[in-house]
C-alpha cells in the first residue's frame, strides 16, 4: 500500500521541494495542496482528508518527519528514507514511459515494413 | 424514529444507522438538511444527535475515519487535528461533530472539492478504524466470555444458581449481541475498504431507511437488557450487603431437608443451645432461594451445643449448601463443580470418602482444615463441613456425613 501511495501521491507532494528552492522542506499541508493545484493546473486535486491521511501514513512510515508546529500549522521535512522511496518510484515511472516509447517505436517499425512490402 | 423532543430550540434524533455505515450516515444527515434540520456543532452525545431548524437546503455531509482514538482521554480530546480542520474549512468543509470513530464534516458549497479525493487513500484511513474495531472485538470476547469463565473457575452451574439462571441467560444474550454487533462492524468496514479499493465507492446499502428498523430493534433490545441488568445488579448487591434474605434459624418456619447438629445427637438429646449468638456476623442463619435449574437451594449455618443420650456434648459449627436440581445430570455437574472449586484453593487435602449410599461422595479437609463432604444423591447435592470444639467428644466424619446422606432420602 505504501508503494502505491508513493506512486500516486508522494511524487506530487515532494514536487514542492525542488520548485520551492528548498531541498528538504515539504512545507505545511496547506501549501502542499496549493502547490499541487498550481503546478498541475488543477489536474491533480487532493482533498484535505486525503492529504492528511497520506501525511499520517508517510510520517508513520518515516518518509517525512515533523520539524515544527506554529500555532495550528505543522511543517514537515522529507527523510532519507522518503527520498529513496521517491527516487525509486521516479525511476520506475520513467522506465514505464521508456517502455511505452519503445513499444510505440516497435509498432511504427512493423507498420513501415508492412507498408513497404505491400 | 419520528419522535422528536424540543429543548432549547434543538431537535434530538437517534441516528438510524451505526457510525460505521458511512454512506447511511451521510445520506441521513443530508436528507434531514433538506427537511431543514441541521446538525449542531458537537451535536452528538450519548448516541443522540442534536439538530437546529434552518431554511432547508442541500448540504453535503462527509464522514472521515479518525486516524487516532477518539475517546475523551485521547490526544486532543479525540478531536481532529486543528490544522486539518482549518484546511478543510479553507476548502468549504466545516467540522461539525464526531461520532465514535468518525469525524463529521459539512459543506454548503456544491462546487467544493470532495474531502476525500482518492478512494484508495480513504480505504487506508478506514484501516485504522478497522484495526481499532478488531482490538475492541477481541477485548469484548475476552472480558465478556473468557474472563468470566476464568473468574468463576469454569463453574458455570454454580454461577447460574448464584446469579439466577434467567439473569445469566440475559447477560449471555447481551454479551452475544455485543459480540455480533462488533463482528458486523468489523465485516462492514472490511467490505467497505475492499470496495473502495476495487470499485472506488463504499459499495454498501446507502438507503438508511431500509436498515433503520432492524438497527433500532437491536439497539432497543441492547439498551433494555443493559438497564435490566444494571437494575438487577444493584438490587442483588443491596440484598447481599444487607443480608436481607438471611433469616435466623430460630425464626425459620420451614423444615430443613437434611440432618443438623440436633440430629447428630440422636434421640434423647437434651440441652440444645445455639452458640455464637449476638455477634451479628450472620451466624445461625438460613437462606433459602429458588432458581429455574435449582428449584430449592438452602445455605445453612448452625453453631450449637447439644448433649446426646449418653451425656456426651457435641459442640461445633455446621455449614451446609443444599441444592435440589431439576434432574440428576445437573446435580452431577454441580457436585463436581463444588469439589473442583474447593480443590483449586490452597491447603485442601483429600481424605478417604465415607462409604455412603449416594451417587457421588468426596471428602477433604478444606482450607480451614475442617472436614468437608460433597454428596450427590439423585437430583440433590449437598456440601457440608462440620467443625467440632467439644473437648471430650468428636463425631467422626463417617457418622455425621452418613446422617446427612440418610436424611436426604427422607
Amino acid at each position: 500500500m505504501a508503494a502505491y501511495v508513493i506512486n500516486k501521491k508522494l511524487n506530487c507532494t515532494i514536487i514542492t521541494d525542488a520548485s520551492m528552492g528548498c531541498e528538504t522542506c515539504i512545507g505545511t499541508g496547506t501549501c502542499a495542496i496549493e502547490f499541487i493545484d498550481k503546478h498541475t493546473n488543477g489536474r491533480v486535486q487532493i482533498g484535505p482528508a486525503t492529504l492528511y491521511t497520506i501525511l499520517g501514513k508517510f510520517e508513520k512510515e518515516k518518509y517525512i518527519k515533523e520539524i515544527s508546529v506554529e500555532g495550528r500549522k505543522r511543517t514537515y521535512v522529507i527523510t532519507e528514507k522518503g527520498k529513496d522511496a521517491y527516487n525509486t518510484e521516479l525511476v520506475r515511472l520513467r522506465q514505464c514511459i521508456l517502455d511505452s516509447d519503445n513499444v510505440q517505436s516497435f509498432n511504427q517499425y512493423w507498420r513501415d515494413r508492412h507498408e513497404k512490402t505491400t | 424514529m419520528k419522535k422528536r423532543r424540543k429543548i432549547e430550540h434543538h431537535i434530538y434524533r437517534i441516528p438510524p444507522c451505526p457510525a460505521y455505515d458511512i454512506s447511511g450516515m451521510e445520506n441521513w444527515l443530508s436528507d434531514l438538511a433538506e427537511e431543514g434540520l441541521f446538525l449542531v456543532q458537537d451535536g452528538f452525545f450519548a448516541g443522540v444527535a442534536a439538530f437546529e431548524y434552518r431554511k432547508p437546503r442541500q448540504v453535503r455531509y462527509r464522514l472521515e475515519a479518525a486516524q487516532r482514538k477518539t475517546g475523551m482521554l485521547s490526544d486532543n480530546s479525540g478531536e481532529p487535528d486543528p490544522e486539518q480542520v482549518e484546511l478543510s474549512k479553507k476548502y468549504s468543509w466545516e467540522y461539525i461533530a464526531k461520532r465514535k470513530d468518525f469525524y463529521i464534516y459539512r459543506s454548503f458549497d456544491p462546487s467544493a472539492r470532495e474531502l476525500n479525493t482518492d478512494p484508495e487513500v480513504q480505504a487506508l484511513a478506514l484501516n485504522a478504524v478497522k484495526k481499532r474495531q478488531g482490538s475492541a472485538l477481541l477485548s469484548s470476547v475476552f472480558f465478556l466470555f473468557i474472563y468470566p469463565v476464568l473468574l468463576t473457575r469454569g463453574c458455570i452451574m454454580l454461577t447460574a444458581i448464584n446469579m439466577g439462571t434467567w439473569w445469566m441467560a440475559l447477560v449471555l444474550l447481551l454479551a452475544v449481541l455485543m459480540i455480533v454487533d462488533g463482528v458486523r462492524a468489523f465485516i462492514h468496514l472490511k467490505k467497505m475498504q475492499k470496495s473502495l479499493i476495487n470499485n472506488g465507492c463504499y459499495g454498501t446499502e446507502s438507503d438508511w431507511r431500509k436498515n433503520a428498523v432492524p438497527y433500532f430493534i437491536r439497539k432497543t433490545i441492547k439498551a433494555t437488557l443493559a438497564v435490566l441488568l444494571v437494575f438487577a445488579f444493584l438490587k442483588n448487591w443491596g440484598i447481599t450487603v444487607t443480608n436481607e434474605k438471611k433469616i435466623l434459624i430460630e425464626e425459620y418456619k420451614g423444615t430443613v431437608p437434611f440432618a443438623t447438629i440436633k440430629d447428630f445427637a440422636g434421640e434423647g438429646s437434651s440441652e440444645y443451645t445455639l452458640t455464637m449468638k449476638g455477634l451479628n456476623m450472620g451466624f445461625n442463619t438460613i437462606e433459602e432461594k429458588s432458581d429455574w435449574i435449582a428449584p430449592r437451594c438452602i445455605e445453612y449455618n448452625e453453631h450449637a451445643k447439644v448433649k446426646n443420650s449418653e451425656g456426651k456434648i457435641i459442640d461445633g459449627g455446621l455449614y451446609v449448601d443444599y441444592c435440589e436440581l431439576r434432574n440428576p445430570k445437573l446435580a452431577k455437574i454441580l457436585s463436581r463443580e463444588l469439589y473442583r472449586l474447593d480443590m483449586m484453593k490452597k491447603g485442601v487435602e483429600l481424605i478417604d470418602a465415607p462409604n455412603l449410599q449416594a451417587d457421588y461422595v468426596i471428602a477433604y479437609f478444606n482450607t480451614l482444615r475442617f472436614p468437608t463432604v460433597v454428596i450427590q444423591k439423585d437430583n440433590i447435592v449437598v456440601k457440608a463441613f462440620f467443625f467440632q470444639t467439644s473437648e471430650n467428644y468428636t463425631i467422626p466424619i463417617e457418622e455425621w456425613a452418613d446422617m446427612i446422606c440418610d436424611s436426604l432420602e427422607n
Side-chain angles (χ1 to χ4, degrees):
Chain A
M1 182 49 103
Y4 165 79
V5 175
I6 290 163
N7 177 10
K8 284 191 79 174
K9 299 287 179 292
L10 183 62
N11 46 0
C12 301
T13 315
I14 291 172
I15 286 169
T16 54
D17 305 344
S19 315
M20 285 169 124
C22 167
E23 269 301 306
T24 52
C25 178
I26 292 175
T28 62
T30 312
C31 66
I33 285 193
E34 281 172 359
F35 187 88
I36 294 162
D37 276 358
K38 190 179 165 189
H39 289 268
T40 61
N41 290 322
R43 184 182 60 82
V44 178
Q45 287 199 337
I46 296 186
T50 300
L51 179 81
Y52 275 91
T53 305
I54 294 168
L55 287 178
K57 179 74 181 168
F58 283 0
E59 213 178 350
K60 203 175 166 188
E61 297 285 343
K62 295 191 169 50
Y63 290 145
I64 57 170
K65 67 176 178 184
E66 191 183 285
I67 50 162
S68 70
V69 182
E70 284 171 37
R72 290 178 170 184
K73 287 187 177 172
R74 297 163 190 271
T75 307
Y76 300 92
V77 290
I78 185 165
T79 61
E80 286 305 313
K81 190 183 174 187
K83 278 181 189 171
D84 288 346
Y86 168 67
N87 287 328
T88 307
E89 186 56 22
L90 210 59
V91 168
R92 194 187 71 81
L93 288 171
R94 281 183 180 141
Q95 189 60 49
C96 281
I97 294 165
L98 207 65
D99 291 345
S100 170
D101 288 347
N102 287 343
V103 169
Q104 279 179 14
S105 310
F106 183 74
N107 287 344
Q108 191 60 49
Y109 166 78
W110 277 106
R111 216 174 285 131
D112 294 346
R113 196 173 159 175
H114 179 72
E115 278 171 12
K116 272 180 194 171
T117 51
T118 53
Chain B
M1 198 161 47
K2 287 283 171 192
K3 269 186 185 172
R4 52 177 76 168
R5 59 196 178 94
K6 208 169 177 177
I7 299 171
E8 292 172 357
H9 310 293
H10 285 169
I11 309 295
Y12 295 89
R13 292 269 180 101
I14 297 169
C17 49
Y20 59 80
D21 181 1
I22 297 179
S23 49
M25 273 294 292
E26 288 174 355
N27 291 342
W28 176 62
L29 291 167
S30 299
D31 288 352
L32 287 182
E34 283 178 25
E35 290 175 22
L37 290 175
F38 294 83
L39 189 65
V40 298
Q41 200 70 38
D42 297 320
F44 267 98
F45 185 74
V48 178
F51 295 86
E52 59 190 354
Y53 267 126
R54 282 195 224 165
K55 192 183 168 190
R57 60 186 290 195
Q58 282 203 331
V59 183
R60 275 186 294 167
Y61 280 95
R62 291 291 177 260
L63 262 68
E64 195 214 328
Q67 296 303 294
R68 292 169 297 179
K69 285 183 181 174
T70 53
M72 292 292 283
L73 300 174
S74 313
D75 293 346
N76 198 23
S77 304
E79 294 297 316
D81 190 306
E83 189 190 9
Q84 186 179 351
V85 172
E86 199 175 279
L87 183 67
S88 302
K89 202 171 184 180
K90 197 172 172 184
Y91 289 90
S92 308
W93 288 96
E94 181 191 5
Y95 170 67
I96 300 294
K98 69 173 178 209
R99 187 184 175 203
K100 294 195 172 170
D101 278 323
F102 294 90
Y103 298 130
I104 302 170
Y105 286 83
R106 172 171 70 195
S107 176
F108 291 102
D109 180 4
S111 63
R113 74 169 60 172
E114 272 296 336
L115 201 60
N116 279 292
T117 47
D118 189 328
E120 293 194 34
V121 176
Q122 210 175 347
L124 190 73
L126 273 180
N127 206 38
V129 177
K130 195 184 78 182
K131 274 186 183 171
R132 286 200 294 275
Q133 182 62 40
S135 318
L137 188 61
L138 288 177
S139 305
S140 302
V141 169
F142 178 78
F143 284 108
L144 294 173
F145 292 104
I146 299 169
Y147 183 67
V149 170
L150 292 174
L151 198 70
T152 58
R153 300 179 183 227
C155 298
I156 308 292
M157 186 75 68
L158 205 53
T159 311
I161 292 169
N162 285 331
M163 209 175 154
T165 313
W166 291 112
W167 286 117
M168 191 169 156
L170 287 179
V171 169
L172 270 175
L173 181 65
L174 184 64
V176 168
L177 281 175
M178 286 169 82
I179 298 296
V180 167
D181 272 4
V183 171
R184 280 171 67 102
F186 188 79
I187 292 173
H188 189 95
L189 288 166
K190 203 171 175 181
K191 275 186 182 169
M192 267 199 305
Q193 224 186 348
K194 208 173 168 184
S195 183
L196 280 167
I197 294 167
N198 296 333
N199 312 321
C201 62
Y202 295 123
T204 50
E205 183 58 63
S206 57
D207 188 1
W208 54 269
R209 288 174 190 85
K210 279 185 185 173
N211 301 324
V213 174
Y215 175 73
F216 278 126
I217 291 173
R218 280 202 312 276
K219 214 173 161 70
T220 310
I221 292 173
K222 268 168 55 180
T224 313
L225 279 177
V227 170
L228 265 174
L229 289 172
V230 168
F231 178 73
F233 172 77
L234 290 174
K235 194 182 163 198
N236 214 26
W237 179 68
I239 288 171
T240 312
V241 168
T242 55
N243 279 338
E244 208 176 277
K245 280 189 173 177
K246 286 190 181 195
I247 53 171
L248 291 169
I249 288 176
E250 298 145 299
E251 292 168 9
Y252 182 65
K253 299 278 190 301
T255 314
V256 180
F258 47 84
T260 59
I261 294 178
K262 200 172 185 180
D263 301 314
F264 295 167
E267 282 181 17
S269 63
S270 58
E271 295 175 31
Y272 175 81
T273 44
L274 289 171
T275 54
M276 312 277 278
K277 283 173 83 178
L279 293 176
N280 199 22
M281 287 172 74
F283 293 128
N284 295 312
T285 55
I286 183 165
E287 184 182 339
E288 200 162 350
K289 59 184 176 183
S290 182
D291 182 59
W292 187 74
I293 56 166
R296 193 180 187 198
C297 281
I298 296 172
E299 254 185 67
Y300 179 87
N301 79 78
E302 178 190 15
H303 292 255
K305 189 189 270 188
V306 65
K307 192 185 272 183
N308 69 8
S309 55
E310 295 166 10
K312 289 173 181 168
I313 302 241
I314 300 166
D315 189 1
L318 174 70
Y319 282 71
V320 180
D321 288 325
Y322 171 94
C323 250
E324 279 174 28
L325 289 113
R326 284 213 165 257
N327 58 52
K329 274 186 185 173
L330 294 174
K332 187 179 169 183
I333 298 170
L334 181 66
S335 59
R336 271 62 168 187
E337 281 186 1
L338 284 167
Y339 161 64
R340 199 172 69 232
L341 193 66
D342 272 355
M343 285 311 283
M344 284 175 190
K345 293 170 188 165
K346 276 183 184 172
V348 176
E349 187 192 330
L350 266 178
I351 52 175
D352 289 338
N355 190 15
L356 308 176
Q357 294 296 310
D359 297 311
Y360 176 76
V361 182
I362 190 105
Y364 50 89
F365 285 121
N366 69 10
T367 45
L368 300 167
R369 301 296 295 168
F370 296 151
T372 308
V373 66
V374 176
I375 303 166
Q376 181 229 327
K377 200 172 188 179
D378 293 328
N379 65 325
I380 298 171
V381 176
V382 167
K383 182 183 132 183
F385 70 79
F386 181 43
F387 66 88
Q388 298 174 65
T389 50
S390 185
E391 283 175 7
N392 54 7
Y393 181 61
T394 304
I395 314 176
I397 185 170
E398 289 80 6
E399 274 184 39
W400 62 261
D402 191 41
M403 279 186 263
I404 289 178
C405 186
D406 280 351
S407 66
L408 300 179
E409 281 180 338
N410 302 325

